[in-house]
Amino acid sequence: MATVSWRLFSFLCCLLVMIISQTSAQPNHWCFNDKGNYTANSTYQTNLNTLLANLTANTEIDYGFYNFSYGQNTDKVNAIGLCRGDVKPDACRSCLNDSRGNLTQICPNQKEAIVWFDMCMLRYSNRSIFGIMETLPAIYMWNINNATDVDQFKQVLFNLMRNLKGAAALGDSRGKYATDNVTGPNFQSIYGLVQCTPDLSWQGCNDCLDGAISQIPSCCNNRRGGRVVGPSCNIRYESYRFYDPTSRLDPSIPPPTLTPLPLPSSQGNFHVGNTSQTAIVIAVPVVAVVVLVLCFICIYLRAKKPRKYFETEVDDDEIITNESLQFNFDTIRVATDDFSDANKLGQGGFGAVYRGRLSNGQVIAVKRLSRDSGQGDTEFKNEVLLLAKLQHRNLVRLLGFCLEGRERLLIYEFVPNKSLDYFIFDPTKKAQLDWERRYKIIGGIARGLLYLHQDSQLRIIHRDLKASNILLDGEMNSKISDFGLARLFVVDQTGGNTNTIVGTYGYMAPEYAMHGQFSVKSDVFSFGVLVLEIVSGQKNSSIHHGESVEDLLSFAWRNWREGTATNIVDPTLNNSSRNEMMRCIHIGLLCVQENLANRPTMAAVTLMLNSYSQTLQVPSEPAFYMDSRTGSLPHVQSWEYNSRATISTESANESAQESVNEASITEPYPR
């Protein structure tokens, strides 16, 4: 929800703004009169009462978040119960149990309602509310005492809240909650708390807290304490500690497996309101026995065929069954004007990319794999399987595919602003990327990688992250593309080995280039190289000093070590955000350290980018591909230059310096 909408709502709905002390335990509620009503003794009321009566029955939930549904069709009820992150399980259940009676009395016939207590929130609705970020209705509360040294107080407060926002958004499905305290003016402490409902994505939580923090000047200006509370998130700050600092979730302990709850009503099914898990009440014992037998069979079959990782090669029939993604070849042929040269966007090692327009007016990018490319079939299937499962604003979106005869096509969203390398390495075009846009691009890449490594259903290692594989949309938002070389892993697998080294020189981590060992830390290394390229506006292989040429990592490390890190920054950038640039160089050097154990995870990187007060580790010497000590490069296979043969050190150096981008697998942008 935009800031303007928040402020408009706050002024129009003044009844929601309550001037109360922060120690008050009185509930604040909202009955939605425009969302429909139910009648006494109706099926909806029966389902609602059943759901609320059993909401906290599962004692295995000890992290204060309950999201369940009960009933069917129009009589289905969805409910969320959330306790403050420091509240103990017994106190949490007691608060929610008190809330259910309170709320149904205050809102006796509304199908949707919400109530906030100091320690918990309860809401229910006949519409889907799980995983959906909502900012309204909202309530404001503030401390009656004014702060001193207002300008300094605000600066310290907003830094604190931004840091907490980043920490909370990185939480898991049990809790997105963070607290901390800082020293404000006159050595007075400021205590802060932020929390989202854990069913939100990282982006949803981050956006919700952003909106809440932006309301502080409107609701609680110059006050020593304040609170903004909404359906999906809440924030609070005070000059005294109002939370239990010892209560923390142990990230090493996974959330418990939820078991079905025996409910007295037969009006429907009881569901966990989470996209990853649904608990179905089984009323008939025979059905339960059948399910158990099937589970044992599945476990037995999986045990008979263990897999270290999910193979990406599948039969054509498996792809063809996904009819919702499949396009007719004639449809694409017409859309691209029979793949005319006028619509050709670029040529890659496995085929050409064309611009097209569907009959409904939608502009698309079509990658047509070369018929004589043996690798193309494998890469095609790989990319279809991956992208069909991935949905994130910082990943290029796959719209569909086509398999007819020897034709293999991938249909993508059209990204109008080409790729990052088109801008960042061009002496003229790089001026279009001011620091604000570059920082936004860095953050988008980080969020996309975090999704691949942690937040998607499978752990995904990209293996070919580079400037030409970062596409830019109309608003210069970054989108990671080209998943032809990616590898899928089960959730608890962290890495693998391969005898076929594929990728691009300058971006490869040393353990991968030399030994075929790849992991999420391999992508972190590539990300670090990208960050240094974005800050410097230089390719990783060509920093010129008169007649001498130095690779980017060597150049960045030497200047960092000598205290002249400002030499790394692109001269076309102004000095207004110099500290932010230095921090990005620091993060980039942390990512390209030779020892992969010393490199941060993308979760840590994302937190570093959002938390300016966090102290960063001192980086160690990075790995160098153009090793001046040996004058040699590892012999690896490179798809960057449309070659399937092992290339020599000499040809590798020549190609790297020329930086010819001829075989990017996914390039849905105009040339």
Side-chain angles (χ1 to χ4, degrees):
M1 180 65 64
T3 301
V4 174
S5 300
W6 270 87
R7 291 176 178 170
L8 179 61
F9 184 85
S10 64
F11 284 110
L12 294 179
C13 302
C14 58
L15 292 177
L16 292 178
V17 181
M18 303 180 180
I19 308 175
I20 61 175
S21 73
Q22 295 302 306
T23 57
S24 172
Q26 294 300 313
N28 304 286
H29 67 276
W30 184 260
C31 306
F32 291 81
N33 294 314
D34 59 338
K35 301 294 185 181
N37 298 325
Y38 62 85
T39 58
N41 301 320
S42 64
T43 301
Y44 188 87
Q45 184 182 43
T46 301
N47 291 342
L48 174 62
N49 293 337
T50 302
L51 175 59
L52 296 181
N54 290 274
L55 186 68
T56 62
N58 192 331
T59 56
E60 291 186 34
I61 299 178
D62 59 357
Y63 44 89
F65 179 57
Y66 302 83
N67 53 335
F68 294 96
S69 61
Y70 186 74
Q72 296 176 344
N73 303 324
T74 58
D75 292 318
K76 184 177 181 179
V77 186
N78 305 291
I80 289 178
L82 176 69
C83 291
R84 204 172 65 194
D86 61 323
V87 176
K88 299 295 188 293
D90 289 343
C92 173
R93 284 188 280 269
S94 176
C95 182
L96 290 174
N97 289 337
D98 291 342
S99 300
R100 71 191 186 201
N102 190 293
L103 187 55
T104 52
Q105 290 179 11
I106 298 173
C107 306
N109 65 345
Q110 285 84 0
K111 288 189 174 183
E112 183 168 347
I114 185 171
V115 64
W116 294 276
F117 281 85
D118 188 58
M119 293 194 302
C120 69
M121 173 202 75
L122 176 67
R123 62 183 298 210
Y124 56 79
S125 176
N126 62 328
R127 63 185 176 88
S128 176
I129 57 176
F130 304 133
I132 300 174
M133 191 274 285
E134 298 184 14
T135 57
L136 300 176
I139 61 170
Y140 303 152
M141 294 173 274
W142 57 83
N143 193 307
I144 60 175
N145 298 311
N146 288 325
T148 57
D149 296 332
V150 174
D151 291 339
Q152 186 180 355
F153 179 86
K154 287 180 179 179
Q155 182 178 0
V156 174
L157 171 63
F158 278 96
N159 285 337
L160 170 64
M161 301 309 285
R162 281 194 293 266
N163 293 341
L164 292 177
K165 175 194 71 173
L170 292 174
D172 59 20
S173 59
R174 296 171 298 168
K176 285 181 166 57
Y177 168 82
T179 60
D180 201 359
N181 65 282
V182 294
T183 301
N186 301 320
F187 302 100
Q188 185 176 29
S189 294
I190 304 175
Y191 296 86
L193 176 152
V194 302
Q195 184 175 23
C196 298
T197 56
D199 56 330
L200 292 184
S201 65
W202 177 92
Q203 189 67 51
C205 180
N206 188 76
D207 291 347
C208 187
L209 292 175
D210 257 341
I213 293 171
S214 70
Q215 295 311 298
I216 292 177
S218 300
C219 76
C220 320
N221 198 31
N222 304 336
R223 303 291 184 173
R224 292 172 60 180
R227 193 191 305 193
V228 179
V229 183
S232 296
C233 68
N234 66 88
I235 64 171
R236 183 179 179 182
Y237 66 94
E238 291 290 351
S239 58
Y240 61 89
R241 177 170 283 138
F242 56 92
Y243 53 82
D244 179 3
T246 62
S247 180
R248 294 288 188 274
L249 283 173
D250 186 350
S252 65
I253 302 175
T257 301
L258 303 182
T259 54
L261 300 179
L263 300 179
S265 173
S266 60
Q267 290 295 330
N269 295 328
F270 194 88
H271 302 282
V272 179
N274 190 299
T275 58
S276 63
Q277 189 174 33
T278 303
I280 303 177
V281 172
I282 303 173
V284 183
V286 175
V287 178
V289 172
V290 172
V291 172
L292 287 174
V293 171
L294 291 175
C295 288
F296 280 120
I297 292 174
C298 290
I299 293 172
Y300 174 76
L301 291 176
R302 288 178 64 87
K304 291 288 286 181
K305 189 178 181 180
R307 292 183 295 176
K308 287 187 177 181
Y309 57 87
F310 289 90
E311 295 290 349
T312 56
E313 297 184 20
V314 295
D315 294 334
D316 290 351
D317 291 342
E318 182 178 346
I319 299 178
I320 294 174
T321 56
N322 198 342
E323 297 178 357
S324 62
L325 292 176
Q326 189 165 9
F327 281 75
N328 182 276
F329 178 75
D330 288 336
T331 300
I332 304 303
R333 184 175 55 80
V334 171
T336 59
D337 193 18
D338 201 13
F339 303 98
S340 67
D341 289 340
N343 284 324
K344 191 173 183 179
L345 303 177
Q347 179 71 42
F350 301 116
V353 181
Y354 297 86
R355 185 180 187 273
R357 184 182 295 274
L358 299 176
S359 57
N360 61 4
Q362 182 178 8
V363 181
I364 57 174
V366 180
K367 183 166 71 175
R368 188 184 195 186
L369 270 69
S370 302
R371 296 185 179 184
D372 58 351
S373 173
Q375 283 288 334
D377 291 348
T378 301
E379 306 305 331
F380 172 79
K381 296 175 183 179
N382 192 350
E383 200 158 3
V384 168
L385 285 178
L386 273 173
L387 292 185
K389 300 176 186 295
L390 303 181
Q391 296 292 330
H392 191 274
R393 63 183 297 182
N394 295 115
L395 303 181
V396 67
R397 187 162 59 98
L398 177 70
L399 303 178
F401 64 94
C402 175
L403 281 175
E404 288 193 20
R406 297 177 62 187
E407 293 287 354
R408 271 146 169 66
L409 310 176
L410 285 172
I411 296 89
Y412 293 97
E413 63 174 321
F414 181 76
V415 183
N417 274 331
K418 304 191 178 183
S419 60
L420 177 61
D421 66 328
Y422 178 79
F423 290 93
I424 201 69
F425 300 139
D426 186 281
T428 303
K429 295 184 177 64
K430 68 168 60 178
Q432 299 179 41
L433 296 181
D434 57 18
W435 176 247
E436 183 180 1
R437 284 177 173 171
R438 296 192 197 196
Y439 193 70
K440 178 182 178 182
I441 289 169
I442 292 172
I445 299 170
R447 288 191 296 272
L449 277 182
L450 177 63
Y451 173 79
L452 294 176
H453 291 179
Q454 178 176 305
D455 295 338
S456 60
Q457 293 180 351
L458 298 172
R459 188 187 302 272
I460 299 169
I461 299 173
H462 189 279
R463 293 206 297 168
D464 198 23
L465 192 70
K466 57 185 177 182
S468 60
N469 283 341
I470 304 300
L471 305 186
L472 302 174
D473 68 9
E475 298 179 352
M476 288 299 191
N477 294 306
S478 50
K479 290 179 177 287
I480 301 174
S481 69
D482 200 338
F483 291 84
L485 304 181
R487 295 293 288 268
L488 290 74
F489 290 87
V490 291
V491 174
D492 58 351
Q493 188 182 357
T494 58
N497 290 274
T498 181
N499 294 322
T500 305
I501 312 299
V502 291
T504 306
Y505 281 139
Y507 296 96
M508 286 188 198
E511 69 277 3
Y512 177 52
M514 299 179 189
H515 308 294
Q517 299 171 354
F518 56 91
S519 66
V520 292
K521 295 297 185 73
S522 308
D523 281 352
V524 171
F525 184 95
S526 303
F527 173 79
V529 176
L530 262 177
V531 170
L532 294 175
E533 287 185 329
I534 293 170
V535 175
S536 67
Q538 298 282 348
K539 297 177 182 178
N540 61 65
S541 59
S542 56
I543 305 293
H544 292 269
H545 302 286
E547 296 181 356
S548 63
V549 178
E550 189 176 14
D551 67 275
L552 179 58
L553 299 191
S554 302
F555 174 76
W557 174 250
R558 177 173 58 79
N559 280 278
W560 179 268
R561 184 180 54 193
E562 296 174 358
T564 55
T566 53
N567 292 341
I568 305 170
V569 178
D570 189 338
T572 63
L573 297 173
N574 58 43
N575 296 321
S576 60
S577 302
R578 186 67 66 181
N579 290 336
E580 205 166 61
M581 297 174 194
M582 292 300 104
R583 187 172 182 84
C584 284
I585 293 173
H586 195 158
I587 293 171
L589 289 173
L590 288 174
C591 292
V592 298
Q593 295 177 104
E594 187 163 11
N595 187 343
L596 63 89
N598 293 336
R599 298 173 207 153
T601 62
M602 288 311 303
V605 168
T606 304
L607 184 57
M608 293 176 194
L609 291 170
N610 287 281
S611 176
Y612 302 109
S613 63
Q614 183 180 0
T615 302
L616 304 185
Q617 298 293 323
V618 177
S620 59
E621 181 177 326
F624 302 128
Y625 284 98
M626 291 184 158
D627 196 333
S628 59
R629 295 166 293 185
T630 64
S632 64
L633 285 167
H635 289 256
V636 297
Q637 188 178 14
S638 172
W639 297 117
E640 171 72 359
Y641 310 107
N642 194 18
S643 171
R644 277 180 272 167
T646 301
I647 60 178
S648 66
T649 302
E650 181 180 357
S651 64
N653 282 307
E654 181 181 357
S655 297
Q657 292 173 19
E658 292 176 358
S659 187
V660 181
N661 180 26
E662 293 183 349
S664 179
I665 299 174
T666 306
E667 295 182 333
Y669 54 79
R671 283 288 182 181

